[in-house]
């Protein structure tokens, strides 16, 4: 994987650099060529102006020393009659002279290996002294400059640019290989560590170096957090399975013992048989209760959707309190006045009732018989609040963070013989959170324990 990333990065860098450097070289050659052409054109234009001025100064001029000087050195000249007949050339071959004789442009133009410009003879005439007695009048003068040297300069610059681009590209690729390899080294290490994790080493974590790229360090930190969460989840599952097995084993062992006693003939009377079957039924009921609680937790953990319908917490609270009073007639279970206005939430009425039953049942199971239990409901700021408070001995502060953990039970004065499996509060928390609410607990020796459930109110459309 890192090899593929490294190759793609190097190829991308090399391609980008090659494009940029090639464009730079092309632009350099083009600007140089344009600059040299402008220099040649300027020289031709200046020479043509001087020749025109010289001819204008004299009404009739022969090929004077001044004009000869203009046509000397690398500057060449062509003179032709009006009909295009070639009269005189300087430093030109016959073929080049014929091509240049046809130039009539007052601005420099390219002709073969030359740049040429025509000189106007309208203001004066030029006489060419030939072997005949009468001089030949010239109406057409062309000045030209050989551009072979220019082409050589441009070729040299182009060659140098190509060599420079190639060398720079090779150096850049080598540097990119080193830099990208060093930069991706943490990813290679991460891949090795990840392979070790996949192989079963759950203690291995990705390295996080202070000098690493912030993005790579963040990636490693995030992946390590995911591995930690996965390990914690696996540990929780193993603990959950172990606790569930232990809780199921106890009633199963008891029920199996009574059945074995009956099969071995240890139950001989009708009363003892009824007693044995009653004990077996009690243990089976405990097993069924535990299985139902585990199923509830499994459904909420899996995120299965709950029923979504308007639920009025007022009647629901009164119904649950009434049922708990009947189930526990000796306990002081109170319902605080809550007013007549409806308290609507969107949710599953049966599951919300289960939350209240679990909270009240938890208070009944973990407080003395003379402790009072009060259920109160209120609404504020678009939220509905249900409070279950008791006047029991309270819960030690070190136990409060563990109350909603599954199968967690404390050995305290609040624990009684009627305590359950340690799943009631965990189920209540899961159901409340599935409804988009929160559940909290506070406790002290002076005022007992208070559980508070807050649920979002159902927004009704304005009339």
């Amino acid at each position: 994987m890192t090899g593929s990333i490294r190759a793609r990065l190097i190829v991308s860098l090399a391609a980008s650099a090659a494009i940029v450097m090639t464009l730079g070289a092309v632009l350099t050659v083009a600007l140089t060529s344009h600059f040299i052409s402008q220099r040649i054109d300027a020289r031709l234009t200046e020479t043509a102006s001087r020749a025109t001025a010289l001819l204008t100064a004299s009404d009739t001029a022969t090929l004077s020393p001044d004009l000869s000087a203009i046509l000397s050195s690398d500057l060449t000249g062509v003179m032709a009659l009006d009909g295009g007949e070639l009269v005189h050339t300087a430093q030109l071959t016959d073929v080049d002279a014929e091509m240049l004789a046809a130039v009539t442009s007052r601005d420099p133009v390219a002709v073969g290996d030359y740049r040429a410009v025509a000189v106007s003879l309208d203001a004066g005439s030029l006489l060419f002294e030939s072997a005949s007695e009468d001089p030949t009048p010239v109406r057409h003068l062309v000045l030209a400059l050989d551009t072979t040297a220019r082409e050589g300069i441009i070729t040299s610059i182009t060659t140098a640019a190509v060599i420079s681009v190639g060398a720079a590209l090779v150096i850049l690729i080598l540097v990119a290989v080193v830099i990208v390899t060093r930069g991706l080294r943490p990813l290679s290490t991460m891949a090795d560590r990840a392979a070790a994790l996949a192989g079963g080493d759950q203690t291995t974590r990705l390295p996080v170096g202070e000098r690493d790229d912030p993005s790579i360090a963040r990636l490693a930190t995030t992946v390590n957090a995911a591995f930690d969460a996965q390990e914690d989840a696996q540990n929780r599952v193993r603990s959950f399975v172990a606790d569930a097995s232990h809780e199921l084993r106890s009633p199963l062992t008891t029920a199996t013992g009574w059945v074995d006693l009956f099969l071995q003939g240890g139950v001989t009377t009708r009363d003892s048989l009824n007693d044995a079957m009653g004990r077996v039924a009690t243990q089976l009921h405990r097993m069924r209760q535990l299985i139902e609680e585990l199923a509830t937790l499994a459904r909420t953990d899996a995120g299965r959707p709950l029923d979504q319908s308007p639920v009025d917490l007022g009647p629901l609270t009164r119904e649950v309190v009434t049922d708990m009073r009947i189930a526990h007639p000796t306990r002081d279970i109170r319902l605080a006045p809550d007013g007549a206005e409806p308290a609507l939430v969107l949710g599953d009425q049966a599951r919300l009732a289960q939350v209240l039953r679990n909270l009240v049942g938890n208070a009944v199971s973990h407080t003395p018989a003379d402790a009072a239990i009060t259920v109160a409901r209120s609404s504020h700021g678009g939220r509905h609040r249900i409070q279950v408070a008791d006047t029991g001995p309270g819960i030690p502060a070190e136990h409060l963070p563990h109350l909603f953990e599954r199968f967690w039970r404390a050995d305290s004065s609040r624990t009684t013989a009627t305590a359950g499996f340690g799943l009631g509060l965990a189920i209540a928390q899961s159901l409340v959170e599935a409804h988009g609410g929160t559940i909290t607990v506070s406790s002290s020796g002076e005022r007992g324990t208070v559980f508070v459930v807050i649920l979002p109110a159902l927004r009704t459309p304005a009339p």
Side-chain angles (χ1 to χ4, degrees), residues 399-433:
H399 292 167
L400 290 177
H402 305 285
L403 287 183
F404 297 103
E405 295 180 5
R406 299 171 185 186
F407 294 109
W408 187 88
R409 285 173 293 191
D411 296 330
S412 68
S413 58
R414 289 176 59 91
T415 304
T416 66
T418 61
F421 301 103
L423 294 176
L425 294 180
I427 292 174
Q429 183 185 49
S430 296
L431 293 176
V432 169
E433 292 178 351

Side-chain angles (χ1 to χ4, degrees), residues 21 34 119 173 185 189 206 280 297 312 325 407 426 459:
M21 289 189 290
H34 179 68
V119 176
I173 291 175
R185 189 174 300 164
T189 305
L206 302 185
V280 169
L297 285 174
D312 191 346
R325 285 173 177 171
F407 294 109
R459 294 184 178 181

Side-chain angles (χ1 to χ4, degrees), residues 278-364:
R279 294 179 181 273
V280 169
T282 299
Q283 299 304 319
L284 292 178
H285 174 73
R286 285 176 55 82
M287 290 179 62
R288 183 180 66 180
Q289 181 184 1
L290 176 59
I291 291 172
E292 290 177 352
E293 291 181 351
L294 292 175
T296 300
L297 285 174
R299 283 193 296 269
T300 55
D301 289 344
R304 295 183 181 178
L306 302 173
D307 290 342
Q308 298 292 314
S309 59
V311 179
D312 191 346
L313 295 180
L316 179 68
T317 304
R318 290 190 290 271
E319 179 181 348
V320 171
V321 169
T322 300
D323 292 343
M324 297 303 292
R325 285 173 177 171
I326 294 175
H328 306 280
T330 61
R331 298 301 304 265
D332 182 8
I333 302 175
R334 308 170 184 175
L335 178 62
D338 56 5
E341 68 279 2
L344 295 178
V345 298
L346 186 66
D348 189 322
Q349 181 169 344
R351 297 306 178 189
L352 291 174
Q354 184 178 2
V355 171
L356 290 178
R357 283 195 297 269
N358 285 3
L359 293 179
V360 177
N362 179 76
V364 171

Side-chain angles (χ1 to χ4, degrees), residues 114-140:
Y114 298 90
R115 295 283 289 180
V117 62
V119 176
S120 174
L121 300 179
D122 296 338
S125 61
L126 179 65
L127 299 179
F128 177 71
E129 295 181 355
S130 62
S132 62
E133 295 181 358
D134 297 328
T136 302
V138 177
R139 303 299 182 188
H140 189 188

Side-chain angles (χ1 to χ4, degrees), residues 98-162:
E98 291 291 340
M99 290 190 304
L100 292 171
V103 175
T104 59
S105 173
R106 304 292 179 87
D107 297 320
V109 294
V111 180
D113 295 332
Y114 298 90
R115 295 283 289 180
V117 62
V119 176
S120 174
L121 300 179
D122 296 338
S125 61
L126 179 65
L127 299 179
F128 177 71
E129 295 181 355
S130 62
S132 62
E133 295 181 358
D134 297 328
T136 302
V138 177
R139 303 299 182 188
H140 189 188
L141 174 63
V142 178
L143 303 178
L145 191 64
D146 192 352
T147 60
T148 303
R150 165 186 173 272
E151 299 299 333
I153 294 174
I154 294 176
T155 301
S156 300
I157 293 176
T158 303
T159 302
V162 171

Side-chain angles (χ1 to χ4, degrees), residues 243-311:
D243 291 338
S245 300
H246 173 74
E247 295 294 344
L248 285 171
R249 187 181 300 112
S250 178
L252 181 62
T253 301
T254 301
T256 303
W258 282 104
V259 173
D260 289 342
L261 181 63
F262 171 76
L263 294 177
Q264 293 172 6
V267 179
T268 57
T269 65
R270 185 69 179 179
D271 291 339
S272 61
L273 178 61
N274 291 337
D275 182 57
M277 292 299 101
R279 294 179 181 273
V280 169
T282 299
Q283 299 304 319
L284 292 178
H285 174 73
R286 285 176 55 82
M287 290 179 62
R288 183 180 66 180
Q289 181 184 1
L290 176 59
I291 291 172
E292 290 177 352
E293 291 181 351
L294 292 175
T296 300
L297 285 174
R299 283 193 296 269
T300 55
D301 289 344
R304 295 183 181 178
L306 302 173
D307 290 342
Q308 298 292 314
S309 59
V311 179

Side-chain angles (χ1 to χ4, degrees), residues 29 73 75 110 142 156 168 226 229 232 313 324 328 336 361 364 367 383 391 445:
V29 172
S73 185
L75 190 66
V142 178
S156 300
D232 180 67
L313 295 180
M324 297 303 292
H328 306 280
V364 171
T367 56
R383 298 182 301 173
T391 58

